Amino acid sequence: MLSKKLHKGLNDQINAELFSAYLYLSMSSWFKAQNLEGFASWLQIQAQEEVEHAMKFYGYLHDKGADVELKQIEAPQKSWKSPLAAFEDAYKHEVYVSSLINDLADLAVADKDHATNVFLHWFVEEQVEEEASALAVVEKLKLVATHPGGVYMLDREMASRGAEGE
Ligand SMILES: [Fe+2]
Ligand SMILES: [Fe+2]
């Protein structure tokens, strides 16, 4: 049996992951409107991954016989002042999500809920990657900031996600 607090936290995480999907889809749409199709495609794949994350929480709650309550998803920001600003937001958002996962892991440990703790390990590791991949894009965008056409070069590189299996 999940404790009340952990049940609520895991259920809220479905919403947080779906909001992440919404945020990245919104960013994807903004990049698409700037004709930066590589960034748009990268973010669309990212949005799909966030839906998969939500479904892992959904599935876990059902496996535990716990009720799932889907709440309203907040509307994400619609536009950014630059590609760099967008990816800085993406990185900040991933750091925030890591803090949510850490809080859930703390709760599982406090509850001595080993099953949930093990379930959350995947997310603890995943968040390291999520932060790193967003930060890598931030750093590359900073590197090309002074090069005309640098963003277009990066856009081509971003388009390769999915083509190589990641
Ligand atoms: Fe996620
Ligand atoms: Fe994420």
Side-chain angles (χ1 to χ4, degrees):
M1 262 284 270
L2 294 168
S3 71
K4 238 183 162 171
K5 259 174 124 177
L6 199 47
H7 180 190
K8 183 185 181 303
L10 293 168
N11 191 73
D12 287 349
Q13 196 61 29
I14 296 175
N15 193 281
E17 299 292 344
L18 289 176
F19 174 76
S20 300
Y22 238 35
L23 176 65
Y24 296 140
L25 193 58
S26 184
M27 283 183 184
S28 178
S29 180
W30 180 78
F31 275 101
K32 212 171 163 59
Q34 321 295 311
N35 296 308
L36 291 167
E37 294 286 345
F39 284 96
S41 153
W42 193 97
L43 283 157
Q44 195 179 320
I45 292 169
Q46 190 60 35
Q48 280 161 357
E49 282 193 7
E50 299 298 356
V51 173
E52 285 167 24
H53 295 168
M55 291 312 293
K56 281 185 196 275
F57 284 97
Y58 174 94
Y60 184 71
L61 284 171
H62 277 287
D63 285 349
K64 297 295 283 182
D67 192 41
V68 166
E69 190 184 345
L70 299 176
K71 309 254 182 74
Q72 189 171 348
I73 303 164
E74 198 191 319
Q77 190 173 328
K78 245 189 99 181
S79 65
W80 286 266
K81 73 176 196 323
S82 66
L84 178 59
F87 270 86
E88 280 175 338
D89 277 2
Y91 173 64
K92 256 190 269 167
H93 183 67
E94 288 302 333
V95 171
Y96 167 66
V97 171
S98 296
S99 78
L100 296 178
I101 299 291
N102 279 341
D103 290 348
L104 288 174
D106 283 347
L107 266 182
V109 169
D111 284 354
K112 298 192 168 73
D113 184 335
H114 299 297
T116 303
N117 195 28
V118 168
F119 165 74
L120 289 168
H121 277 179
W122 185 88
F123 286 94
V124 171
E125 284 178 358
E126 175 69 7
Q127 281 312 118
V128 176
E129 264 183 54
E130 293 274 86
E131 285 184 30
S133 60
L135 188 59
V137 180
V138 166
E139 283 168 356
K140 285 178 189 175
L141 280 165
K142 282 183 179 166
L143 269 178
V144 301
T146 55
H147 291 262
V151 173
Y152 287 98
M153 253 174 49
L154 263 188
D155 190 59
R156 285 231 299 273
E157 188 187 317
M158 295 294 276
S160 67
R161 183 182 188 178
E164 303 158 350
E166 180 46 28

